Amino acid sequence: MDLPSQSFIELKDLQIAVRIGTYGPDDVVPDAHILDLTLTISSDLVMVPRDEMALVFDYDPLIRRIDTLAQAQHYETQERLMTRIVQACAEYPQIEALTISLRKRPVLSGTGTLGVRLIVDGEAMTVLRNSLSVSV
């Protein structure tokens, strides 16, 4: 049987409770920060022989960790929160690569979204894991 070579877990449009940025009296203050996260995992964690949690990637602890990171402090930038989320993902060996996007709304006159996207491929994930294990 020809199995898929890649599998993904996709988290989309998660509105997170976070305080990001410093705003003046005339600045547009975002009312929402929205996270999209796509995790590349082994197809062995998706194409499973039985219906058992032990055979799949349990993403619930990661979502709780993201929520904890978001609420842990005031962030000046979206990029710093994204960095912390990527580092948390690197702690899971099942995650081979990822794409993360964090956007805020509104941007101007009550409209628009503005965000940052980062793609961490397999090689970059390995480098990140190695650097985290050295710094710990």
Side-chain angles (χ1 to χ4, degrees):
M1 178 162 57
D2 190 32
L3 295 178
S5 61
Q6 288 187 316
S7 297
F8 305 95
I9 293 174
E10 296 181 329
L11 175 65
K12 296 196 180 265
D13 300 323
L14 179 67
Q15 189 167 320
I16 56 176
V18 64
R19 293 178 300 123
I20 299 176
T22 303
Y23 300 95
D26 296 325
D27 292 340
V28 175
V29 178
D31 60 18
H33 287 87
I34 302 133
L35 176 70
D36 290 337
L37 185 62
T38 301
L39 308 174
T40 304
I41 60 171
S42 169
S43 59
D44 293 342
L45 297 171
V46 176
M47 300 288 294
V48 294
R50 294 176 308 285
D51 188 19
E52 296 177 17
M53 279 300 298
L55 300 176
V56 301
F57 177 72
D58 183 1
Y59 47 77
D60 289 331
L62 178 59
I63 292 171
R64 285 192 297 272
R65 177 82 184 278
I66 290 169
D67 185 48
T68 298
L69 289 170
Q71 294 185 47
Q73 69 182 69
H74 175 265
Y75 292 91
E76 286 297 319
T77 64
Q78 294 182 96
E79 290 85 349
R80 181 61 188 150
L81 175 57
M82 288 176 64
T83 299
R84 294 190 72 199
I85 293 170
V86 170
Q87 290 170 335
C89 290
E91 294 175 11
Y92 292 86
Q94 302 94 330
I95 299 174
E96 299 171 355
L98 64 84
T99 300
I100 183 172
S101 171
L102 184 60
R103 60 192 190 278
K104 61 184 177 180
R105 70 168 191 247
V107 179
L108 183 63
S109 301
T111 66
T113 61
L114 179 74
V116 179
R117 177 179 311 274
L118 175 69
I119 299 170
V120 181
D121 65 15
E123 184 177 328
M125 185 64 81
T126 299
V127 170
L128 178 60
R129 282 191 176 107
N130 290 339
S131 70
L132 291 175
S133 66
V134 168
S135 65
V136 173

